[in-house]
Structures are given as structure tokens and as C-alpha cells.
């Protein structure tokens, strides 16, 4: 069976070269399996150090920022970020762009903070990114979700804020250039553009560490992990190793600047087809469209079974929309090649050529 | 280079067959890499279901108990277990058998609980397991660490208690038969006898879920994970897959009862040599010796360099004692074959034959 074209929303495709090297390391990494080495061994300490250095290099992380690997995904990150940023106001501003924002808000409240939703696109079913002026006020911080996998919306630039900014970048970190200095905490589950599920990345302004106004259990305190170089407890060795391989690949192939261009080309190709093809329609506000998760529907819903059969025949997997949004979703993370998008676009063209005449006759 | 004999304390050796199958799945698992499949895909849901079923089968988990996979290791488990067991007393009894117990106590305090240390082996440098009568009193629960990797001590049977029992079994779960019904919460980092680092196992009496007397953020609430069948958020797919492979192997080779006999044979072989060999001495109380982590020292410390050279020459790795205990530590988890222990014992015998005459002349 030839390799499937994986448009899944995550965990998701990584480069084939990374899969191959990770597979070898499971059998032999300097004489042992990567799965059985001690996290305190010089071999793994070197992996962790390189992974952190490659994150810093890829994103031009400035002096005064720390990179850490934890566990628990963004779902624990919602709580950790809020707890670590709690200050004298014990009050935070959240931007609501859908399910992931709502979960983040819930955990800020669970951490004992008061939350003001200062902007929301709930009214239009999260089909847009709200317009936001410069953020200010008696808040400890403002939080937003940079890319919304379910709806297919994305912030095209960082928000403008006079208060500290916390951002969940789980689904678009490493896909485009960012200015890390705009943020106090960036956090991201690894399982999109970084590596396999199991690790969670934090990029944190060092000066915020240890400043929380609420009690902090050890694991939830970012200062704990900073002081122990991400080795407070046994880290997810294999996930970090594979993330390191993926970052090596990213830098070897031109880094974030280069992949951003490729990602833009993939998005342009698919959105152009969606807009030109009479049988398809994009789901969201054009200016807020995500380059990572392209959501669209059939203009004639009764063709759903036929279209499902068409993309499956083209060896495509993972195109089904999220259960709460319906329709289709093409997730196009870094490792998805342009050629896979070309196959999808060609499939859409052929599908329309086959069905358009029948529809026009109705 | 022939495969090294891995006596490391963890992450640690797993069966070669598991490494081989896991390695293949990184390249191809039903047409995709195991690293890129969705955790919501039927293929992975089947993996999770099987992993949970195999845990239940291996340990004869009775009706009314749930098995869950989370993240964060025992270090987050210290907090999660205390928070989930907090009741009207907001007070817990802890047994102190060393570093891991101390860390658990710290997180119970961080969770807002009052802690009584009802028994401790601190006075003898944690070289024993304290004598404990039946536990009772105005406590929400009692907590202990079943096996102490650093010192090499182990509870030989479950404690006797009239109050709920919580146990950190990170380093000896699946190594011997247990009666799950003795416990309200068992938790364990995966990276010893279960699988690679990155997953954390919880076995929980269902009736304790949702009964906590303190506020519970979503991720820290075991009820959250129970209700979502360990899929509240993206689980560490590869770690759970590999754990499932390892559990399949365990059951295929006779299950926990069979491996317990092998583990006893390995321990008997090595402890017998330690006790018979005039150049070596065990670290801890004989009756409290761990079958997982065998700690010992040279009776003539000046031979340290020579002994280090001897075991390294025998292709052994991971025999150095924990930095806080010194000496040597042979960790003999399930996947370490008896033949590796035989090599170690032979190395000790030959070492002594070479050096004993020189020492006797001094």
C-alpha cells in the first residue's frame, strides 16, 4: 500500500525522514533503544539540550526567554499558564475564539482567577477572529489562541497589548515567523508541527517566573522546570527526541521563514480552488482563514457520500471536519507536502467536472 | 557492538520484541506512522482500549475499579492523588521511606492538606521499611511508596489499613502480584515495567471519583479522565501503544505470576552473591530488600575504579548507584533477563578472585 496523504488535524504528519530516524533509534541509539536510556544519561541530556537550542534558533528566541518541555498538552497548559501569570489583580482578559479558548477560560477560573472575555466571535459561530484594539486594563494578563483548529481561523498577527500576553500556539507554532518578545508565555502541545504527542513546549519570559500571587504546586510551577532544565521529573524521552529530529529537519530545509512560504503556497492553492469551484465553499471569514486548517463545505450537501468516496480513492485520509463544525477540514501542517495539496485540488476539480452537469440540470 | 546489558533504574529496559514492533510501527501502522495517527482514529481507540483491558487482566483489577492513562509521571501523581482523595479532614497520613515519599508529602501540603508522617525510616538513612501496625485515625487517606529505587527497599506486602490507601507503585507495578482491592488509588509512571516514559497509569476505585473536598481543575480531576476514557486531551499515543505491546508480551509469557517468579530468582541470585562475596555488602535491611533495585557497596572502597572497569568490560551499563546513595545499584525490571544477572554475578566472582589475595596480604 502506498503511503496515505495525511490531512489529519493532529497528531499529524511529520517528515518521512524523521519517522525513519526515530524508527531506527527505537532499535539502536548508541547501543541501547532510545526507549530504555536514562533521562539522566549524557546521551539524552545532549538530546534535550539540542532540542531546546533548536527551538531557540528556529524562533529567534531572544535573551531572557526560557524554553522548557513539560507534559500534559495544552489542556494542562491552560491551567499552568493562568496560575503562573496570576498577579495582584487575580483577574485576566481572555479572547474567545471557540472551544479551545473556552477550555482555557474554564481553567483560569478553576485556578481562582476572575476572567473578563474582552472579545469574542461567538455571535458568528466562531467564523471570524474578533477585531481587537490595543489591550489594556486592570488585568494580570491577556490570553488568546493563535489558531483555531476546529473552525479554521487564525490570528494573522500578534495582538497589540500593554499588558502581558499569553498565547496557546499549539496548532501553528513553527509554521510561521513570530516575535517571541511579544509574549510572556507561549505554550503548545507538541503534536502538530513539533513532534509526536506527549511533550508540551513552553517559551517563557524568565522575569515572570516565581511571581505568581497564588499557591503553586511544584509540577504546575514553571520555575520548577526552569531550574531543573526540563528534568524536574522523567521527561517524555522519545517525544523530545523525535521533536529534536523534526527541528533539525526544519532548520536543514530553511527554517521557519522557508516553511512559512511553503505553507502560504499550500493555503493559496487550496483556498483558490475552494473559491473558484462552484461545488465548494469556505467556512470562515476570508481575512481570518487559517493556513493550518482549511475548512470548507459542499454547496450541495447531498453529494457528501460521493465526495467522501472521491478523496478516499485518491488515498487521502483525515479530511473529515471536526464533529462540532461538520463539512471538511484539510489540515496542512509543515510536513504535509505541496504535492498532497495538489492531489486534493485535482480531486476536487475532477469531482466537480463529474458532478456539475448533473446539478445544473436539476 | 553487541547489545548492552541495561541495569539502569529507569527509563529502563523493555523486551527486545517490543522494541522491534514499536520500531516498525513508527514507519507503518496500518498505512501511517503510529506517530501521525489521530488519537480519535478507530485504530488508536482500539490501542487504548486494549492497553486498559490488558492492565485489568494482568493485575486482576476487580469490578468497580477504573484504569486510566494520564501524563506527568508520579511527580504530577503526588499532587493528583492527594487532591482527589481530600475529604472532610483535609488531613492525610504519609509513610516516609525516602526521597519519593518526601516529594509526595510536599505536594499533599501544596494541595492544602495537613500531613502527619505516621512512620518513617529516616533515622536509619532509609535503609529499612518502618514497622507499621494497622492504620486508622482521622485521616482522609494514607499514602506510601511501594518500592524505593534510590535506597533499594520495598514493601513486601500491602499495608494494613482501615482508611483508604493511596500507593505510588511507579517502580514495582507489574513485577509481582498485588490485590488491587487493597487500594483506593494506585499510580505509576510508565517508565519501568510498563512502557517508555511519557504515560502515567492510574488504577482507581470508581467510588472515590468526584468526592474531593477541594477545588479541582479539570486535568487534575481523575473524574475528568474517567468520563473521557483517558481521551480528555491528546494522550501520549506512542507511549501507550508501546505499553500495550509490553503488556501483550507480559501476558503471552505467563503474566505477572510468572514474571514474579523470574524476578525472585534474579534477586535471589544477586543477593546471594552479595552476601557470600567478601568484597561486597548489601546496603539495606535484609528483610526489606527490593527485588527491583539491588543496592550494594564494595567492602574496600579503594577498589571502585577497578570494579567499574570490570562491569563495563562485561558490557553492563547503568550500575552506578544513585548520586544520593552512592555505591552500586542493579535495577532488575521485568525485561532484564536472568542471563544478564548471571553475567553480573560472574563478573563479581571474577573480580573477587582477582583482588581478594592482594587485599588479604595487606
Amino acid at each position: 500500500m502506498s503511503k496515505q496523504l495525511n490531512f489529519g488535524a493532529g497528531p499529524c504528519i511529520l517528515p518521512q525522514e524523521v519517522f525513519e530516524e526515530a524508527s531506527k533509534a527505537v532499535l539502536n541509539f548508541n547501543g541501547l533503544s532510545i526507549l530504555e536510556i536514562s533521562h539522566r544519561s549524557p546521551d539524552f541530556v545532549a538530546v534535550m539540550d539540542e532540542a531546546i537550542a533548536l527551538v531557540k534558533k528556529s524562533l529567534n528566541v531572544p535573551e531572557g526567554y526560557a524554553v522548557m518541555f513539560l507534559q500534559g498538552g495544552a489542556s494542562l497548559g491552560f491551567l499552568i499558564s493562568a496560575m503562573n501569570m496570576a498577579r495582584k489583580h487575580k483577574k485576566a482578559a481572555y479572547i474567545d475564539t471557540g472551544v479551545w479558548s473556552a477550555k482555557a477560560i474554564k481553567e483560569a477560573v478553576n485556578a481562582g482567577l476572575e476572567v473578563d472575555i474582552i472579545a469574542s466571535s461567538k455571535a458568528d459561530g466562531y467564523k471570524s477572529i474578533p477585531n481587537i484594539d490595543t489591550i489594556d486594563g486592570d488585568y494580570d494578563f491577556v490570553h488568546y489562541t493563535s489558531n483555531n483548529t476546529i473552525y479554521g481561523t487564525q490570528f494573522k498577527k500578534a495582538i497589540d497589548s500593554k499588558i502581558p500576553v499569553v498565547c496557546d500556539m499549539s496548532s501553528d507554532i513553527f509554521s510561521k515567523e513570530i516575535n517571541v518578545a511579544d509574549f510572556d508565555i507561549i505554550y503548545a502541545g507538541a503534536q502538530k508541527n513539533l513532534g509526536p504527542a506527549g511533550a508540551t513546549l513552553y517559551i517563557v519570559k524568565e522575569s515572570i517566573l516565581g511571581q505568581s500571587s497564588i499557591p503553586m504546586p511544584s509540577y504546575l510551577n514553571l520555575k520548577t522546570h526552569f531550574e531543573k532544565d526540563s528534568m524536574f521529573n522523567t521527561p517524555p524521552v522519545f517525544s523530545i527526541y523525535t521533536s529534536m529530529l523534526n527541528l533539525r529537519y526544519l532548520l536543514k530545509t530553511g527554517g521557519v521563514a522557508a516553511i512559512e512560504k511553503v505553507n502560504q503556497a499550500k493555503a493559496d492553492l487550496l483556498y483558490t480552488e475552494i473559491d473558484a469551484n462552484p461545488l465548494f465553499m469556505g467556512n470562515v471569514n476570508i481575512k481570518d482563514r487559517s493556513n493550518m486548517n482549511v475548512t470548507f463545505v459542499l454547496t450541495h450537501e447531498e453529494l457528501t457520500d460521493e465526495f467522501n468516496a472521491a478523496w478516499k480513492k485518491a488515498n487521502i485520509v483525515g479530511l473529515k471536519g471536526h464533529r462540532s463544525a461538520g463539512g471538511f477540514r484539510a489540515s496542512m501542517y509543515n510536513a504535509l507536502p505541496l504535492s498532497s495539496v495538489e492531489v486534493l485540488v485535482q480531486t476536487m476539480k475532477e469531482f466537480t467536472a463529474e458532478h456539475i452537469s448533473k446539478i445544473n440540470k436539476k
Side-chain angles (χ1 to χ4, degrees), chain A:
Chain A
M1 170 162 67
S2 70
K3 176 107 188 178
Q4 297 169 332
L5 311 179
N6 185 4
F7 285 83
C12 67
I13 189 169
L14 294 172
Q16 186 61 26
E17 184 178 312
V18 169
F19 292 143
E20 284 165 14
E21 202 163 348
S23 172
K24 278 183 204 156
V26 171
L27 289 180
N28 189 346
F29 179 74
N30 301 339
L32 292 172
S33 164
I34 187 78
L35 305 186
E36 66 176 315
I37 65 169
S38 167
H39 60 293
R40 305 276 179 208
S41 65
D43 285 350
F44 184 70
V45 171
V47 167
M48 179 67 94
D49 289 348
E50 184 175 347
I52 288 173
L54 293 177
V55 170
K56 289 185 173 177
K57 192 171 178 191
S58 305
L59 296 173
N60 294 312
V61 175
E63 281 295 307
Y65 276 78
V67 170
M68 293 172 242
F69 285 97
L70 276 72
Q71 297 180 61
S75 291
L76 188 56
F78 301 149
L79 180 67
I80 287 177
S81 58
M83 289 181 76
N84 280 269
M85 290 305 294
R87 298 290 183 272
K88 65 177 182 183
H89 300 298
K90 293 191 186 173
K91 189 172 172 186
Y94 274 69
I95 299 170
D96 170 32
T97 53
V99 164
W100 299 111
S101 305
K103 287 175 188 267
I105 290 164
K106 184 178 175 192
E107 298 318 314
V109 171
N110 279 336
L113 302 186
E114 191 182 335
V115 169
D116 273 2
I117 297 173
I118 57 162
S120 173
S121 49
K122 190 174 185 177
D124 73 355
Y126 299 116
K127 293 186 174 181
S128 66
I129 296 292
N131 289 319
I132 301 159
D133 293 330
T134 301
I135 292 158
D136 200 0
D138 289 340
Y139 300 112
D140 293 333
F141 64 94
V142 57
H143 177 284
Y144 74 106
T145 316
S146 60
N147 181 70
N148 300 281
T149 50
I150 295 175
Y151 319 95
T153 62
Q154 185 176 28
F155 282 83
K156 292 298 167 181
K157 55 184 183 59
I159 60 172
D160 189 28
S161 175
K162 292 182 175 174
I163 61 174
V165 180
V166 175
C167 189
D168 171 6
M169 289 194 192
S170 292
S171 55
D172 67 355
I173 196 164
F174 299 109
S175 76
K176 59 174 190 170
E177 293 192 290
I178 57 170
N179 181 21
V180 170
D182 290 338
F183 304 91
D184 278 41
I185 296 181
I186 295 167
Y187 63 99
Q191 66 273 7
K192 314 284 180 182
N193 287 320
L194 177 54
T200 315
L201 177 70
Y202 289 77
I203 305 175
V204 180
K205 192 186 277 187
E206 288 176 22
S207 60
I208 68 107
L209 295 168
Q211 303 298 315
S212 178
S213 61
I214 61 176
M216 295 290 282
S218 304
Y219 193 94
L220 308 181
N221 192 344
L222 290 170
K223 192 162 187 267
T224 305
H225 301 278
F226 174 68
E227 286 174 347
K228 298 286 188 179
D229 297 325
S230 298
M231 295 276 204
F232 167 61
N233 64 334
T234 311
V237 170
F238 182 74
S239 178
I240 291 167
Y241 173 72
T242 309
S243 296
M244 183 211 71
L245 294 179
N246 191 43
L247 290 165
R248 272 188 194 165
Y249 181 89
L250 176 67
L251 283 160
K252 192 178 73 178
T253 53
V256 170
I259 201 71
E260 181 172 2
K261 290 197 184 105
V262 176
N263 287 333
Q264 191 60 51
K266 291 186 293 187
D268 288 346
L269 180 63
L270 183 52
Y271 282 122
T272 299
E273 179 61 23
I274 287 168
D275 291 339
N277 190 319
L279 289 192
F280 295 96
M281 192 169 65
N283 278 12
V284 303
N285 241 17
I286 289 181
K287 73 172 181 53
D288 301 321
R289 283 171 162 177
S290 169
N291 282 3
M292 292 288 100
N293 313 95
V294 176
T295 58
F296 56 101
V297 292
L298 281 161
T299 52
H300 293 74
E301 213 181 334
E302 68 274 16
L303 294 174
T304 300
D305 290 347
E306 285 88 341
F307 184 58
N308 283 338
W311 56 263
K312 283 173 187 170
K313 197 176 159 202
N315 211 21
I316 286 168
V317 296
L319 206 69
K320 195 162 173 284
H322 188 272
R323 59 192 182 279
S324 70
F328 306 94
R329 173 172 54 173
S331 295
M332 309 195 302
Y333 297 112
N334 287 358
L336 186 90
L338 182 64
S339 60
S340 293
V341 184
E342 287 166 349
V343 169
L344 173 58
V345 165
Q346 187 58 29
T347 302
M348 292 163 77
K349 284 184 194 295
E350 288 171 10
F351 176 77
T352 299
E354 187 184 337
H355 291 278
I356 192 75
S357 58
K358 287 178 268 180
I359 285 164
N360 288 343
K361 277 180 200 153
K362 277 186 192 165

